[in-house]
Amino acid sequence: MENRIAEHPILGVPEKGRKVTFTYNDRQVEGYEGEPIAAALKAAGLMVHRYTKKEHKPRGIFCAIGRCTDCVMVVDGKPNIRTCVTPLKEGMKVQTQYGVSGKPFEEQ
Amino acid sequence: MKRYDLIIVGAGPSGLSAAVEAAKRGLKTVVFDENEKPGGQLFKQIHKFFGSKEHKAKIRGFVIGEQLLKEADEAGVEVVLNATVIGLYQDKEVVVRIGEAVHHYKGDAVIIATGASENMVTFEGWTLPGVIGAGAAQTMMNLHGVKPGNKVLMLGSGNVGLVVSFQLLQCGCEVVALVDAAPKVGGYGVHAAKVARTGVPFYLSHTIVKAEGEECVTGVTIAEVDSHFRFIPGTEKHFDVDTICLAVGLSPMSQLLKMAGCEMEDNPKRGGQVPVCDEYGRTSLAGVFVAGDVSGIEEASSAMIEGRMAGIAAAEYLGYMDKEEMDRNLADLDQALDGLRQGMFAPKNRGKDIETTDEGIPVSKNLLKHGFVADEEIERFPGVTHAKGIHPVMECTQNIPCNPCQDACPKHCIRIGSNITALPAVEEGSECVGCGMCVASCSGQAIFLVDETYEEGYASITIPYEFLPLPVVGEKGDALGRDGSRVCEAQIIGVKSIPAFDKTNLLTMKVPAEYAMRARFYKKG
């Protein structure tokens, strides 16, 4: 988790919840319970959250406060979940969103 | 339909401040906020605030946030979170989505304190993952402890761009460049200077041509623009980056007011579409008030005062106090807000070219163009003097509303006077004891302690330092100039961190005497 700040000169050591495991597509990823899903993905260096429906362009975090909806993904089977404001839970199933589906375009 | 005396939309600095004032006067008050936590953007602000004691100057933003939450709690304010206000209708009916349900409330008075949202600019590749708003960077690093990127280019030299660039450096990111299409740095010179002295280059009159990368950002090209903001061919510059951060202004989130039928205006000095309102936030609709950025983009410090004013005005509107009592309550707040709205960066001066300070000193051109005051310019400012032994050097060169340094000095060496935008000057005949309180109290990190005759042939310089790892006494490295380039070798001879400095460490370095007025930062060798 190289993108985590171990100690901050002003804020000290970040206070985090319990360490949990969740799945990103077929991969096991670790994060902290209660932090936004997007923060856990960012910490793991995972940038692409979804591909747009028409032009299949990649999108990731943009505003990080639940306003722009660029970071939506399929979470536990439900599409269009704003990952920047949705708290991470143990065992969550997070999938790249293709258009509005969790299936890659060629399988749709 | 549930009824309240006062419904406030937004639990940020202005909304909470309004709620505190109203609840203290007995109004049954509720605050709705769409977020999971209250405080708005205050908890992402880790720098020391500007202003005077009454504006909570030299206290860090997130600490002010904690104080405000405590105050709201003690006043008995009800805050409903994860509650998105989706409509404001006739007779002040407020429609709120909470979870999957939509609820209707009736407020006898309503205060809209929804704040602002970030502006965007478009360029080739702007939708790539890795292009983020400055607010997103702050959220990631300061709330969630995650670095927004490793190599970052910042677009925007207003206070947000400058402050966030510094915060990126503090959490260990590399900032490769600070870019702005405008010909001059938009934010406070002291914010720019503390970024520039770490070695971040400023590119004014430049903007982004394109973001590069297939799946995410891998690089960026910028180019110079002419006075009509057209690219000048042949001036392109490329940087390898993984993150592009946009800090290109804020727009009031005034949609609810427009929906409710408030008279609106398009006012560039206030940031865009804003309600027409008086100085206490009364809109054209009786009983509907506004406070904070939604009525004009300013700082959190002014938003908190505006909130208190609107809360008091709402209490008077509902008959919880008479006009006389209201006027009495508002007088101090009027004065506090007026203090913040003075100086070169006051709302009334937006867009103006200011050539000289109030003291008649020409402003530093280099500061506006490159982010730092040039060595040949610095001596003309009243805070920069020479003396025998240790003494403060205040590189504060613009009239901004801020005066903690004056109160910080136990020996009264620093004089600003009653006008808080005046440049700090050294009090003649005063004796500096080298305690460092002024260095730590300066929100702009613009005060240094210099002893030009520390040792035969050597000077000592004490600088504010808010980075990790903290250097240790005895280590050697490079002293950097105001422009961030190496000027000479430096040895650390003192590291001081005490609670009163509030996380601003004081590093003292020894440099050859001729560099006493040039060395202003330290980098480990």
Side-chain angles (χ1 to χ4, degrees):
Chain A
M1 291 197 184
E2 51 168 342
N3 292 334
R4 298 263 179 203
I5 301 166
E7 191 184 353
H8 190 284
I10 308 301
L11 301 168
V13 176
E15 276 176 38
K16 285 290 182 185
R18 182 169 68 98
K19 196 178 253 188
V20 294
T21 306
F22 66 102
T23 62
Y24 165 75
N25 297 331
D26 294 327
R27 197 176 141 178
Q28 296 277 311
V29 182
E30 281 186 337
Y32 292 97
E33 190 172 55
E35 71 180 355
I37 297 168
L41 293 174
K42 181 94 198 167
L46 301 165
M47 299 289 284
V48 180
H49 287 225
R50 67 180 179 106
Y51 292 91
T52 58
K53 191 173 168 69
K54 286 184 189 164
E55 298 191 24
H56 303 187
K57 298 280 196 208
R59 293 284 191 275
I61 297 169
F62 186 69
C63 80
I65 53 169
R67 188 149 297 281
C68 76
T69 69
D70 247 12
C71 71
V72 299
M73 297 177 86
V74 180
V75 176
D76 290 335
K78 209 171 154 189
N80 289 335
I81 298 298
R82 296 176 298 169
T83 55
C84 69
V85 289
T86 304
L88 182 68
K89 291 188 195 117
E90 170 100 67
M92 256 182 173
K93 201 172 161 234
V94 178
Q95 289 171 279
T96 305
Q97 183 168 317
Y98 301 87
V100 288
S101 159
K103 280 187 194 160
F105 293 113
E106 53 276 15
E107 294 172 27
Q108 287 180 25
Chain B
M1 196 182 315
K2 200 168 174 187
R3 195 205 133 263
Y4 283 93
D5 291 334
L6 175 63
I7 295 177
I8 299 174
V9 186
S14 65
L16 285 177
S17 302
V20 166
E21 294 301 326
K24 276 201 299 205
R25 287 166 179 88
L27 279 74
K28 193 179 165 208
T29 303
V30 68
V31 187
F32 294 113
D33 194 292
E34 62 180 344
N35 296 290
E36 199 188 359
K37 287 180 181 150
Q41 307 306 306
L42 265 182
F43 285 92
K44 301 170 192 177
Q45 310 306 326
I46 62 169
H47 62 284
K48 294 178 177 176
F49 275 33
F50 288 75
S52 196
K53 249 190 233 158
E54 59 191 339
H55 311 118
K56 300 187 184 291
K58 80 169 180 181
I59 302 177
R60 297 183 191 274
F62 67 97
V63 179
I64 296 176
E66 284 160 8
Q67 293 172 351
L68 192 54
L69 287 187
K70 189 165 167 269
E71 207 186 339
D73 196 43
E74 284 167 1
V77 173
E78 182 185 349
V79 180
V80 183
L81 299 167
N82 297 308
T84 309
V85 174
I86 56 174
L88 176 57
Y89 296 98
Q90 202 176 3
D91 298 330
K92 298 181 274 292
E93 181 185 348
V94 178
V95 184
V96 192
R97 186 172 68 83
I98 301 170
E100 298 298 310
V102 168
H103 303 259
H104 294 253
Y105 295 88
K106 165 85 172 72
D108 289 345
V110 172
I111 297 177
I112 303 294
T114 43
S117 62
E118 289 185 281
N119 295 342
M120 286 310 132
V121 285
T122 58
F123 43 82
E124 191 184 328
W126 79 286
T127 58
L128 278 172
V131 178
I132 59 172
Q138 282 195 310
T139 306
M140 283 293 153
M141 60 190 169
N142 299 340
L143 283 191
H144 305 309
V146 175
K147 279 160 75 175
N150 286 303
K151 294 179 82 151
V152 187
L153 179 130
M154 175 67 70
L155 181 70
S157 71
N159 275 338
V160 174
L162 298 171
V163 165
V164 174
S165 293
F166 192 75
Q167 291 174 2
L168 286 162
L169 296 166
Q170 286 180 302
C171 80
C173 305
E174 184 188 344
V175 179
V176 301
L178 205 152
V179 178
D180 200 315
K184 292 189 303 187
V185 170
Y188 289 176
V190 286
H191 277 318
K194 71 185 191 193
V195 174
R197 76 173 77 107
T198 70
V200 176
F202 281 54
Y203 292 90
L204 277 295
S205 296
H206 277 71
T207 194
I208 296 173
V209 179
K210 61 174 175 177
E212 295 145 6
E214 289 298 319
E215 289 287 280
C216 56
V217 172
T218 56
V220 59
T221 299
I222 64 167
E224 198 173 339
V225 291
D226 63 19
S227 56
H228 299 286
F229 298 103
R230 289 175 306 217
F231 287 116
I232 302 172
T235 61
E236 294 83 2
K237 293 154 193 86
H238 170 86
F239 299 91
D240 288 330
V241 294
D242 54 37
T243 304
I244 296 169
C245 203
L246 307 178
V248 291
L250 299 164
S251 292
M253 287 206 284
S254 56
Q255 296 91 336
L256 280 173
L257 295 154
K258 195 171 182 179
M259 176 181 198
C262 280
E263 193 186 330
M264 306 290 288
E265 64 169 354
D266 199 26
N267 187 336
K269 287 207 171 182
R270 290 162 68 194
Q273 272 285 316
V274 287
V276 174
C277 63
D278 72 3
E279 73 240 68
Y280 304 127
R282 300 183 185 100
T283 67
S284 63
L285 294 180
V288 177
F289 300 80
V290 289
D293 275 357
V294 72
S295 63
I297 306 298
E298 279 182 80
E299 307 284 334
S301 313
S302 28
M304 288 185 279
I305 301 174
E306 286 180 6
R308 289 185 191 276
M309 287 174 158
I312 291 167
E316 190 263 351
Y317 170 76
L318 294 178
Y320 282 79
M321 63 170 80
D322 57 24
K323 188 173 177 306
E324 201 181 311
E325 191 186 345
M326 175 183 72
D327 290 342
R328 223 177 21 249
N329 279 294
L330 288 170
D332 288 347
L333 293 170
D334 269 331
Q335 206 179 1
L337 189 56
D338 190 54
L340 284 178
R341 286 180 174 160
Q342 302 303 318
M344 292 178 176
F345 294 85
K348 62 185 177 227
N349 285 330
R350 269 180 207 160
K352 273 191 203 161
D353 270 324
I354 295 176
E355 299 279 333
T356 57
T357 70
D358 293 346
E359 293 80 2
I361 304 165
V363 296
S364 162
K365 290 268 192 295
N366 208 73
L367 179 62
L368 298 176
K369 187 75 196 156
H370 301 292
F372 60 92
V373 182
D375 294 342
E376 60 274 17
E377 294 171 322
I378 197 73
E379 304 254 352
R380 67 179 182 237
F381 296 96
V384 182
T385 57
H386 297 269
K388 264 197 186 146
I390 197 158
H391 61 97
V393 170
M394 295 161 287
E395 305 198 349
C396 184
T397 68
Q398 293 172 326
N399 300 114
I400 55 174
C402 193
N403 69 0
C405 57
Q406 174 171 256
D407 297 328
C409 181
K411 293 286 180 187
H412 310 290
C413 297
I414 301 170
R415 185 185 67 243
I416 288 179
S418 55
N419 178 9
I420 70 166
T421 58
L423 299 181
V426 179
E427 190 74 70
E428 266 178 58
S430 62
E431 200 180 335
C432 172
V433 290
C435 69
M437 288 306 290
C438 58
V439 179
S441 78
C442 176
S443 309
Q445 300 194 12
I447 304 183
F448 307 87
L449 294 179
V450 177
D451 186 346
E452 292 164 67
T453 52
Y454 171 72
E455 242 176 36
E456 183 68 38
Y458 285 94
S460 75
I461 300 162
T462 300
I463 62 168
Y465 195 84
E466 293 187 353
F467 300 96
L468 288 177
L470 202 55
V472 291
V473 172
E475 81 170 53
K476 285 182 178 172
D478 296 330
L480 307 186
R482 297 182 182 90
D483 63 351
S485 66
R486 183 186 188 276
V487 292
C488 60
E489 190 187 61
Q491 185 177 17
I492 298 298
I493 54 170
V495 179
K496 201 169 162 188
S497 318
I498 60 170
F501 292 167
D502 186 17
K503 314 273 180 178
T504 306
N505 307 288
L506 266 55
L507 288 191
T508 304
M509 59 184 178
K510 186 172 97 172
V511 298
E514 64 263 40
Y515 300 112
M517 282 315 224
R518 288 179 57 198
R520 288 296 176 264
F521 195 64
Y522 173 80
K523 198 173 160 191
K524 198 172 176 176

